[in-house]
Amino acid sequence: MEKDFRSGCPISSALDVIGDKWSLLIIRDMLIKHKKTFKEISDSDERIAPSILSARLKLLESYKLISKTKIPENKKENIYLLTEKGIRLTPIIIEFSLWGDTNMREFNEIDDIEGLNSDKSFVIQSVQDSYNSMLLNFR
């Protein structure tokens, strides 16, 4: 997969990789909801089309935000896990959640997320610890 960036700006480069309509939602589901399989990820409320999900997973894998492996008990099924680089997107996911909670409620029924209005650094660390714990239990 060719790495094509619009410019050398770090914001632009990040948006070239995760600034589409789906990538952060996929990462959210993996990070917060601990989704690991194609089916689990495709069953999100946003109803991502399989072809788009497949393309986004390949893109995220090519930039080493996720890794793909096989389930030890089922060599037919792929699982997707966040890499350390992917886990480091936690502050962005939390900030987007806080911004959406504060600024989009008047336009949409926003789901309440338990603990979201706690200390931000505590929430970020808790999300990362929970994902890392899941990784340890999975392996």
Side-chain angles (χ1 to χ4, degrees), residues 84-127:
E84 186 56 40
K85 191 185 290 190
I87 294 169
R88 285 197 300 264
L89 286 167
T90 305
I92 293 170
I93 300 287
I94 298 304
E95 285 294 343
F96 262 95
S97 298
L98 288 167
W99 187 88
D101 184 59
T102 301
N103 296 288
M104 294 291 106
R105 278 195 181 273
E106 68 181 285
F107 305 108
N108 190 18
E109 269 186 48
I110 302 289
D111 295 335
D112 288 323
I113 301 171
E114 188 176 326
L116 188 60
N117 291 316
S118 300
D119 174 45
K120 216 182 315 188
S121 60
F122 175 77
V123 173
I124 290 166
Q125 191 62 54
S126 295
V127 168

Side-chain angles (χ1 to χ4, degrees), residues 17-134:
V17 178
I18 60 168
D20 64 89
K21 186 175 176 176
W22 297 107
S23 294
L24 284 178
L25 295 175
I26 293 166
I27 293 166
R28 172 209 63 191
D29 283 353
M30 294 176 73
L31 184 64
I32 295 172
K33 299 177 182 180
H34 297 181
K35 294 184 176 189
K36 296 179 281 309
T37 66
F38 189 93
K39 179 167 179 13
E40 287 173 343
I41 298 167
S42 68
D43 285 343
S44 71
D45 292 340
E46 291 82 12
R47 297 183 194 95
I48 186 171
S51 60
I52 294 172
L53 176 56
S54 180
R56 291 308 180 277
L57 289 170
K58 285 177 185 168
L59 177 76
L60 294 172
E61 186 180 13
S62 77
Y63 285 102
K64 299 181 177 142
L65 296 171
I66 66 172
S67 63
K68 179 173 74 171
T69 188
K70 299 284 185 189
I71 295 177
E73 306 82 43
N74 178 357
K75 296 292 183 189
K76 293 181 183 177
E77 188 167 22
N78 291 319
I79 58 165
Y80 300 90
L81 300 171
L82 292 168
T83 62
E84 186 56 40
K85 191 185 290 190
I87 294 169
R88 285 197 300 264
L89 286 167
T90 305
I92 293 170
I93 300 287
I94 298 304
E95 285 294 343
F96 262 95
S97 298
L98 288 167
W99 187 88
D101 184 59
T102 301
N103 296 288
M104 294 291 106
R105 278 195 181 273
E106 68 181 285
F107 305 108
N108 190 18
E109 269 186 48
I110 302 289
D111 295 335
D112 288 323
I113 301 171
E114 188 176 326
L116 188 60
N117 291 316
S118 300
D119 174 45
K120 216 182 315 188
S121 60
F122 175 77
V123 173
I124 290 166
Q125 191 62 54
S126 295
V127 168
Q128 290 175 329
D129 288 349
S130 175
Y131 190 81
N132 284 321
S133 177
M134 182 274 302

